[in-house]
Amino acid sequence: MNLDWSVVWANAGPLAQGTALTVVLAVATMAIAIPGGILLALMRLSGSRLLSGASASFTELFRNLPLILVIYAAYYIMPITLDVAFSPFVTGLVALSLNVAAYNGETFRAGIASIRKGQSEAALALGMSRWQTMRDIVLPQAVRRVLPVLASTWVSLFKDTSLVSVIAVSELAYTSMRIRSQTFRVLEMLTAMAVIYWALGYPQAKLVDWMNRRFGVSE
Amino acid sequence: MSRKGHDAGQPAVLDYRAVRKQFGSFTALAGVSMQVHRTEVVCLIGPSGSGKSTLLRCTNGLETIDGGEILLDGAALPRDPRGMRAMRRRMGMVFQNFELFPHKTALGNVASGPLTVLRLSRDEAEQRAAALLEKVGLADKAASYPSNLSGGQQQRVAIARALAMQPEVMLFDEPTSALDPETIGEVLNVMKTLAEEGMTMVVVTHEMSFARRVADQVVVFERGQIIEQGPPEQIFDAPLVERTRDFLSHLGWAG
């Protein structure tokens, strides 16, 4: 087999841009999906049948559809039904955020449920409102408790961003594939892509392990 | 006769009238009537599951009652959220498991009520909190998190946290039951000081010597009912009801 690694170095610029876009996409998705997940969890636990039902429907819809289908749907259906024209990047961001928010919603719900009732009773007994109790007492503890789970979701998300390459978002996967089809250097480009994803993902996974040890046990 | 001798003309701070509470088919309170007067210390004793804690939890609305009524200073307990919050500010509660907020320091725990509920400035709230930590003997632990405090210290912080709202009544739900024997004394001492300062207190307890020394009135519960109530001399030395004697001898109480 004849390998020519120079194709990787020759395309270092586009690969670096693709990598940067992957990071930006993952960060932006989490920045939307964390507040979104908290909102979904609060709606689910609100006691209002309407809010709770809406949250549950959203969660079960986006948790149980393949992400790639959601991405295609956002790309083809959203412009028609909502009459909006987003760039591929924003379209990918919307699809990823819907998916990750659904997962985060369940994560926060479990975290909130894991805080024992006595904590909110102590806050209520001081005269706090239900909202103050949630905001000041329950949520801060719940967030700390689910930090390792959020970090795992983050690591998955980081790799799943590659799926938006199907709608031509020029992140790392799309860029690598584009160079591959222009140069026919399949093995070289796949290897380069693997090395970059792994080199970025491995420290994150290690960080998750550390967070599990640091935050996983409490009380 | 109350040890402190309350004015008979004054309405009771807490007036329980035939209070009933049902948990499914289990009757937790089967028509309980009693009164708590200002500056009185009332100890609720009796076997587990006899309704003492439930009565306490109904008092500040953590449980709703299914019948009868509870009057606070002559007015029925409110049921709307706003009214309940206003009512809860007037009562401090101390829990068996402390329920300190683990993500806040001792000072942060004590300041949390004044900050969030009374909306004091951070300086004012923390000054008040520091003074109360001093009062319960924990001034040096202000910056410690609950996980670094002993059980007795945590419970004293919890008492300070309740006091920070400057309540008219303090409710204690088995405050020493989760404590190591060697730390029970420090908590009871704080409670005794409070009682001597004239705080109105309702205490669910298994500490019979505390009830004996500090209570003005002892109320004996069994199966959701009050079977006997009176001054500690009566309950511990000459109970009128056979089952009171049985309960006390069960605990090894020898007078």
Side-chain angles (χ1 to χ4, degrees), chain A residues 116-130 132 135-138 140-141 144 219, chain B residues 57 60 62 85 88-89 91 93 95 97 99-104 112-113 116-117 119 161-162 165:
Chain A
R116 61 168 189 271
K117 206 165 154 238
Q119 284 287 303
S120 40
E121 288 182 346
L124 292 173
L126 284 173
M128 289 191 199
S129 66
R130 269 169 49 99
Q132 289 170 332
R135 187 195 61 194
D136 289 4
I137 306 303
V138 178
Q141 296 185 53
R144 240 161 274 215
E219 291 190 280
Chain B
R57 292 168 57 82
N60 71 350
L62 289 179
R85 292 205 295 278
R88 282 169 175 157
R89 287 189 203 177
M91 302 185 199
M93 185 153 190
F95 297 84
N97 293 316
E99 300 299 353
L100 288 185
F101 307 135
H103 58 300
K104 293 178 186 284
S112 61
T116 310
V117 181
R119 301 192 185 282
R161 179 178 68 178
M165 295 299 291

Side-chain angles (χ1 to χ4, degrees), chain B residues 120-190:
Chain B
L120 296 190
S121 72
R122 184 163 292 276
D123 277 355
E124 285 176 290
E126 288 186 349
Q127 266 176 26
R128 186 186 285 195
L132 284 165
L133 283 177
E134 171 101 55
K135 181 183 168 81
V136 299
L138 291 171
D140 56 327
K141 299 290 183 187
S144 301
Y145 283 88
S147 54
N148 295 324
L149 299 175
S150 74
Q153 290 170 334
Q154 288 189 57
Q155 194 61 299
R156 285 188 282 156
V157 174
I159 293 172
R161 179 178 68 178
L163 290 174
M165 295 299 291
Q166 301 177 330
E168 296 163 41
V169 184
M170 284 285 284
L171 309 172
F172 292 86
D173 188 5
E174 301 198 26
T176 58
S177 296
L179 293 178
D180 294 329
E182 67 266 28
T183 65
I184 289 177
E186 63 194 57
V187 172
L188 293 180
N189 280 337
V190 169

Side-chain angles (χ1 to χ4, degrees), chain B residues 28 76 81 105 131 141 189 197 236 255:
Chain B
T105 62
K141 299 290 183 187
N189 280 337
E197 289 171 0
F236 292 108

Side-chain angles (χ1 to χ4, degrees), chain B residues 17 24 41 53 59 61 67 79 91 106 120-121 123 127 136 163 177 198 214-216 219 226 244-245 248 251 253:
Chain B
R17 297 183 178 172
V41 177
S53 290
T59 307
R79 299 225 175 187
M91 302 185 199
L120 296 190
S121 72
D123 277 355
Q127 266 176 26
V136 299
L163 290 174
S177 296
V214 181
D216 299 296
V219 182
I226 294 173
T244 302
R245 204 167 313 164
L248 291 172
L251 291 180
W253 178 262

Side-chain angles (χ1 to χ4, degrees), chain A:
Chain A
M1 203 189 288
N2 188 6
L3 294 177
D4 178 9
W5 294 105
S6 69
V7 65
V8 177
W9 313 125
N11 289 289
L15 283 175
Q17 281 175 16
T19 306
L21 198 62
T22 290
V23 173
V24 169
L25 191 56
V27 169
T29 301
M30 258 315 186
I32 294 170
I34 283 181
I38 291 176
L39 185 67
L40 284 169
L42 293 180
M43 284 167 66
R44 188 73 177 266
L45 297 167
S46 68
S48 148
R49 192 173 290 193
L50 187 72
L51 292 178
S52 169
S55 168
S57 311
F58 178 94
T59 303
E60 294 311 335
L61 180 64
F62 288 107
R63 214 164 50 129
N64 295 303
L65 284 177
L67 180 52
I68 197 157
L69 180 69
V70 177
I71 293 167
Y72 274 125
Y75 189 64
Y76 289 113
I77 301 171
M78 201 168 62
I80 303 168
T81 53
L82 301 179
D83 198 26
V84 286
F86 289 145
S87 67
F89 175 83
V90 174
T91 308
L93 178 61
V94 168
L96 287 169
S97 299
L98 290 172
N99 176 270
V100 179
Y103 276 97
N104 284 354
E106 290 299 280
T107 302
F108 284 118
R109 185 160 74 104
I112 290 168
S114 78
I115 305 302
R116 61 168 189 271
K117 206 165 154 238
Q119 284 287 303
S120 40
E121 288 182 346
L124 292 173
L126 284 173
M128 289 191 199
S129 66
R130 269 169 49 99
W131 165 242
Q132 289 170 332
T133 299
M134 182 56 76
R135 187 195 61 194
D136 289 4
I137 306 303
V138 178
L139 259 186
Q141 296 185 53
V143 169
R144 240 161 274 215
R145 200 166 284 188
V146 300
L147 225 42
V149 185
L150 289 177
S152 303
T153 305
W154 162 264
V155 173
S156 297
L157 163 67
F158 190 76
K159 293 172 293 180
D160 287 347
T161 52
S162 60
L163 289 171
V164 301
S165 61
V166 299
I167 56 167
V169 178
S170 53
E171 42 67 72
L172 178 56
Y174 179 83
T175 304
S176 310
M177 293 299 137
R178 184 177 52 77
I179 299 166
R180 175 206 58 175
S181 52
Q182 285 166 352
T183 61
F184 303 105
R185 288 292 165 191
V186 177
L187 208 62
E188 291 86 339
M189 288 320 296
L190 287 181
T191 307
M193 192 172 133
V195 167
I196 297 174
Y197 273 115
W198 192 88
L200 290 173
Y202 179 74
Q204 295 174 19
K206 284 286 128 188
L207 188 65
V208 174
D209 290 347
W210 176 80
M211 286 168 86
N212 265 312
R213 284 195 302 274
R214 172 77 175 68
F215 298 103
V217 196
S218 50
E219 291 190 280

